């Protein structure tokens, strides 16, 4: 018996697909290239993937009741990862899926224009009985006279005789290093392009570069098509562990994303793909592995070994990238399993390793990296900033798309900078979170330990009326009547949910702005829970590392500094119970305090 497929229509995109009964709305959308926002990988725990069912209906699941309000359930809202299709269905997808905001301006530093791709115009003598050199030899001799080495593969050789004779032996040779990419009729030296791609875990940004002038012709960004498989690299590696078909899904998803960006770049700049000869692509080690279809499982477990760290120079056809058919895709070297080629690109672009002055380079994205160094020595490390900046674990959090608060200024009133202009904010993204913490500290509403002050503690402060409590937790009200993914009515920065987050002022989750308070945002800010209640922050789909209330960052500070930290938090630790105190002391390496009856420092 042939199983009948059901039609699913997604508004306002007017995209439709036909799927077998029992398919989730989340999976159906992914099959047609419509990634629905999710930070939990479709497990029904983040509440970000909600859609409104207009026709067809969908049963209310336990996850729906947990993540959505009763009024939303009555209006037909469902978590798409839990809603299964058993009849023809029409749904509305929230506009949160619009193109994320990404930095389109980089650092300006004078560099010599010396691209790997060169175009050499040559006028060759035609063959004769006196000159019977082969076509390839004739071209090689002309290029050697111009100072270029050349080697050709079969793809170019197949077209070489026809192109030379149709063009009257007046051609332009296109070289990528010493590889002959193409031979073009006439003089095409003014048309030479390449593409730079930042393959982020969450956002992919592509820039079309004019290799003749060194100028950017167009910039485009979009969400990584792998988002439905999880918001972080561990979730995606976990999906790839399901077999070769799962690895192919991850590979094809990111290739479609890159090729979509390329088509938009070509259309915007009016450039043909046959004039784009090379792509340089950077990203963390996991993203590069998944793009190339290489098993990334060893990266996720001890001793965290990638399959490759060397730079690669690969034919574009082998990678599946839509540039010149004979073009090449190049990756930069990877430093380690969690410090990738994107950080190498940042170090190169800033010249950090070339100057005597000590500088810090910070990239806060889904995976966070910090580089410290000078010409003498460079140190780098990484930490899972995680999907926190895209909304996971943040009640009002969202990606840096239209409606997200990306900047905050606190004086005697609150000024919000919202992506999209003068519109009602829908939530807050990473740069908005960083700004808020910095501004609260400057305004005196957040103490040095990260504790939010109450209205009673600062009654004369002009913003004291915005100090509220949400479910018994102190909070600061940024905006009223703000809709967002969790269905709450207020965009409040919650002390408990933001605890143990270390935030800085630079990243892919919003633009960096030069305003008072931005300097402070670059410092580490510790947020401690008022109640001392412990929350587990897990990496990946199946969990993993868990942070103690004081965070793993203190473990390296030594026993003396650890004792001082405990002194500041002694009251909260006592409230947490003796077992939690013992766990915290053990995490800090203060085993000497674990003997029975030993006093807690500062108690």
């Amino acid at each position: 018996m042939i199983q009948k497929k059901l039609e699913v229509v997604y508004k306002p995109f007017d995209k439709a697909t036909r799927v077998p009964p029992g398919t989730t709305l989340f999976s159906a959308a992914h099959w047609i290239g419509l990634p629905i926002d999710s930070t939990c990988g479709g497990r029904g725990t983040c509440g970000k993937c909600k859609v409104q069912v207009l026709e067809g209906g969908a049963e209310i699941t336990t996850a729906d009741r947990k993540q959505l309000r009763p009024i939303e359930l009555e209006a037909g809202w469902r978590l798409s990862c839990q809603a299964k299709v058993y009849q023809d269905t029409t749904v509305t997808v929230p506009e949160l899926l619009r193109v994320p905001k990404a930095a389109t301006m980089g650092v300006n530093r004078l560099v010599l224009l010396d691209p790997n791709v060169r175009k050499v115009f040559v006028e060759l003598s035609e063959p004769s009985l006196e000159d019977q050199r082969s076509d390839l030899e004739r071209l090689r001799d002309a290029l050697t006279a111009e100072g270029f080495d050349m080697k050709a593969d079969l793809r170019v050789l197949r077209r070489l005789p026809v192109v030379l004779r149709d063009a009257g032996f007046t051609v332009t040779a296109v070289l990528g290093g010493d590889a002959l990419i193409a031979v073009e009729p006439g003089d095409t030296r003014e048309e030479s392009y390449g593409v730079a791609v930042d393959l982020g875990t969450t956002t992919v940004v592509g820039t079309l570069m004019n290799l003749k002038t060194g100028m950017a012709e167009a910039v485009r960004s979009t969400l990584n098509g792998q988002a439905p498989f999880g918001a972080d690299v561990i979730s995606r590696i976990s999906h790839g562990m399901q077999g070769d078909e799962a690895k192919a899904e991850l590979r094809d998803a990111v290739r479609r994303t890159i090729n979509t960006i390329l088509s938009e770049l070509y259309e915007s700049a009016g450039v043909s793909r046959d004039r784009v000869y090379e792509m340089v692509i950077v990203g963390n080690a996991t993203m590069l592995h998944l793009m190339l279809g290489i098993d990334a499982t060893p990266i996720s477990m001890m001793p965290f070994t990638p399959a490759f760290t060397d730079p690669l120079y690969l034919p574009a056809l082998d990678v599946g990238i839509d540039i010149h058919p004979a073009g090449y895709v190049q990756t930069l070297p990877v430093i380690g399993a969690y410090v990738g080629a994107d950080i190498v690109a940042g170090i190169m672009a800033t010249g950090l390793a070339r100057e005597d002055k000590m500088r810090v380079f910070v990239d806060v994205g889904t995976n966070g990296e910090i580089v410290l160094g000078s010409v003498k020595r460079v140190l780098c490390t990484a930490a899972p900033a995680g999907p926190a900046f895209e909304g996971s674990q943040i009640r009002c959090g969202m990606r840096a798309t239209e409606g997200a608060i990306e900047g905050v200024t606190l004086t005697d009133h609150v000024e919000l900078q919202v992506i999209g202009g003068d519109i009602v904010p829908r939530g807050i993204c990473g740069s908005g979170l960083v700004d808020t913490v910095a501004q609260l500290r400057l305004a005196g509403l957040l103490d040095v330990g990260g504790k939010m002050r109450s209205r009673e503690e600062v009654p004369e402060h002009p913003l004291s009326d915005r100090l509220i409590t949400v479910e018994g937790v102190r909070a600061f009200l940024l905006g009223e009547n703000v809709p967002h993914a969790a269905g709450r009515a207020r965009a409040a920065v919650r002390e408990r949910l933001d605890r143990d987050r270390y935030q800085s002022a630079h990243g892919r989750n919003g633009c960096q702005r030069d305003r008072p308070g931005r300097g402070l945002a670059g410092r580490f800010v510790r947020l401690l829970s008022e109640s001392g209640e412990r929350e587990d922050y897990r990496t990946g789909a199946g969990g993993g590392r868990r942070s103690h209330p004081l965070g793993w960052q203190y473990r390296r500070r030594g026993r003396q500094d650890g004792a001082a930290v405990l002194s500041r938090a002694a009251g909260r630790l006592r409230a947490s119970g003796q077992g939690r105190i013992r766990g915290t002391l053990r995490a800090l390496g203060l085993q000497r305090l674990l003997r029975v009856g030993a006093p807690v420092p500062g108690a």
Side-chain angles (χ1 to χ4, degrees):
M1 180 179 178
I2 299 177
Q3 187 180 45
K4 179 184 177 181
K5 290 191 175 183
L6 305 171
E7 184 178 56
V8 183
V9 179
Y10 292 90
K11 302 285 188 178
F13 306 99
D14 288 326
K15 287 191 174 184
T17 183
R18 300 188 68 84
V19 299
T23 304
T24 64
L25 293 171
F26 184 83
S27 297
H30 172 61
W31 291 346
I32 58 174
L34 183 65
I36 293 181
D37 191 26
S38 172
T39 57
C40 68
R43 293 172 176 81
T45 58
C46 71
K48 306 288 184 181
C49 69
K50 67 178 183 179
V51 297
Q52 187 177 26
V53 180
L54 302 178
E55 297 177 9
E59 294 183 1
I60 299 176
T61 66
T62 302
D64 290 331
R65 297 187 186 280
K66 183 177 181 181
Q67 299 292 339
L68 304 176
R69 295 177 297 167
I71 190 173
E72 291 179 307
L73 295 174
E74 292 177 8
W77 289 95
R78 301 289 186 270
L79 297 182
S80 62
C81 67
Q82 305 298 308
K84 296 182 178 180
V85 178
Y86 292 105
Q87 54 186 303
D88 291 343
T89 305
T90 300
V91 300
T92 294
V93 180
E95 293 186 0
L96 185 66
L97 294 175
R98 292 189 177 182
V99 176
K101 182 172 183 179
T104 57
M105 299 286 291
V107 294
N108 290 321
R109 188 166 62 87
L110 181 63
V111 296
L112 294 177
L113 187 60
D114 186 23
N116 186 55
V117 174
R118 300 295 184 92
K119 302 191 83 170
V120 185
F121 175 67
V122 292
E123 295 179 291
L124 306 178
S125 59
E126 297 188 16
S128 65
L129 291 177
E130 291 75 22
D131 183 3
Q132 294 183 330
R133 289 176 297 168
S134 68
D135 292 342
L136 183 62
E137 184 180 3
R138 191 178 305 278
L139 180 60
R140 180 184 292 114
D141 290 344
L143 292 175
T144 301
E146 296 289 337
F148 296 97
D149 294 328
M150 181 269 285
K151 58 183 180 182
D153 63 13
L154 180 60
R155 188 181 298 109
V156 178
L157 287 176
R158 284 172 175 164
R159 287 191 48 80
L160 182 60
V162 175
V163 173
L164 287 179
R165 283 157 181 82
D166 287 349
F169 287 85
T170 301
V171 296
T172 300
V174 184
L175 298 170
D178 62 354
L180 183 62
I181 295 175
V183 178
E184 299 170 348
D187 186 355
T188 63
R189 285 176 293 180
E190 297 300 319
E191 301 176 276
S192 182
Y193 299 91
V195 178
V197 174
D198 181 359
L199 179 57
T201 309
T202 299
T203 306
V204 181
V205 182
T207 304
L208 180 66
M209 300 296 299
N210 187 322
L211 301 181
K212 183 71 174 178
T213 65
M215 301 299 293
E217 297 289 339
V219 181
R220 289 293 183 272
S221 67
T222 189
L223 292 178
N224 190 322
Q226 294 177 344
F229 302 109
D232 54 82
V233 294
I234 301 300
S235 297
R236 297 182 195 175
I237 292 175
S238 298
H239 181 78
M241 291 179 182
Q242 298 177 19
D244 292 340
E245 185 176 342
K247 293 183 181 68
E249 286 181 329
L250 292 165
R251 179 198 64 208
D252 293 344
V254 72
R255 289 180 180 177
R256 282 195 301 270
T257 302
I258 294 174
N259 287 333
T260 297
I261 288 179
L262 288 176
S263 64
E264 293 177 0
L265 291 173
Y266 300 158
E267 182 179 358
S268 174
V271 172
S272 168
R273 72 154 190 165
D274 290 334
R275 293 294 186 259
V276 180
Y277 306 103
E278 190 172 80
M279 171 186 289
V280 176
I281 185 166
V282 298
N284 61 58
T286 299
M287 287 298 99
L288 295 180
H289 279 61
L290 298 180
M291 179 196 71
L292 298 174
I294 299 173
D295 184 14
T297 303
I299 296 177
S300 66
M301 56 187 67
M302 291 279 289
F304 314 112
T305 307
F308 68 94
T309 58
D310 296 334
L312 303 178
Y313 197 62
L314 306 169
L317 281 180
D318 292 348
V319 184
I321 299 302
D322 190 24
I323 60 175
H324 191 287
Y328 286 87
V329 173
Q330 179 166 353
T331 69
L332 296 188
V334 172
I335 297 177
Y338 292 96
V339 182
D342 51 345
I343 302 307
V344 174
I347 294 173
M348 293 175 61
T350 58
L352 182 145
R354 296 190 183 96
E355 299 184 8
D356 294 330
K357 185 178 181 181
M358 184 73 69
R359 292 189 293 167
V360 175
F361 172 71
V362 182
D363 181 355
V364 178
T366 307
N367 189 56
E369 298 94 354
I370 299 177
V371 181
L372 171 68
S374 65
V375 68
K376 296 181 179 179
R377 187 185 185 191
V378 177
L379 300 175
C380 59
T381 188
F389 288 127
E390 285 80 37
S392 179
Q393 305 284 354
I394 305 296
R395 173 175 293 190
C396 305
M398 63 181 289
R399 291 191 174 105
T401 56
E402 186 173 296
I405 298 172
E406 63 168 342
V408 177
T409 302
L410 302 181
T411 52
D412 57 349
H413 61 283
V414 177
E415 295 181 9
L416 302 180
Q417 182 176 336
V418 181
I419 297 176
D422 188 17
I423 62 176
V424 176
R426 301 171 55 89
I428 186 168
C429 66
S431 56
L433 286 167
V434 173
D435 255 15
T436 301
V437 173
Q439 290 291 312
L440 286 172
R441 183 78 184 95
L442 285 174
L445 300 179
L446 199 68
D447 68 18
V448 67
K451 183 178 179 181
M452 191 84 72
R453 300 190 186 278
S454 67
R455 188 177 302 183
E456 291 73 20
E457 291 175 319
V458 286
E460 303 300 325
H461 197 285
L463 299 177
S464 62
D465 60 331
R466 290 181 174 267
L467 294 170
I468 60 174
T469 58
V470 178
E471 299 177 4
V473 179
R474 294 180 183 179
F476 183 81
L477 185 65
L478 287 178
E480 300 185 68
N481 300 320
V482 177
H484 49 77
R488 305 292 182 180
R490 293 173 291 190
V493 178
R494 299 185 58 196
E495 180 183 4
R496 177 170 63 87
L497 290 179
D498 288 347
R499 184 193 62 206
D500 285 338
R501 302 288 181 185
Y502 282 71
Q503 304 164 343
S504 72
H506 186 281
R508 291 186 289 270
N509 303 283
C511 287
Q512 182 175 1
R513 295 165 307 283
D514 187 12
R515 294 199 320 278
R518 173 58 71 182
L520 180 62
R523 304 177 190 174
F524 291 145
V525 181
R526 181 169 61 257
L527 300 177
L528 296 176
S529 169
E530 177 186 9
S531 64
E533 178 183 355
R534 173 175 173 170
E535 292 185 27
D536 292 331
Y537 293 95
R538 304 184 178 188
T539 60
R545 291 175 291 182
R546 299 185 177 187
S547 63
H548 288 274
L550 294 179
W552 61 266
Q553 289 86 349
Y554 296 120
R555 297 177 189 173
R556 299 179 182 177
R557 296 188 178 182
R559 297 185 175 186
Q560 182 177 0
D561 190 42
V565 172
L566 282 177
S567 177
R568 292 195 295 270
R572 269 164 269 169
L573 287 171
R574 285 198 300 273
S576 303
Q578 183 178 2
R580 187 160 295 146
I581 296 175
R582 294 172 66 85
T584 303
L585 293 173
R586 188 176 290 110
L588 292 168
L590 300 176
Q591 291 87 347
R592 61 186 176 83
L593 297 177
L594 291 178
R595 65 182 184 274
V596 178
V600 176

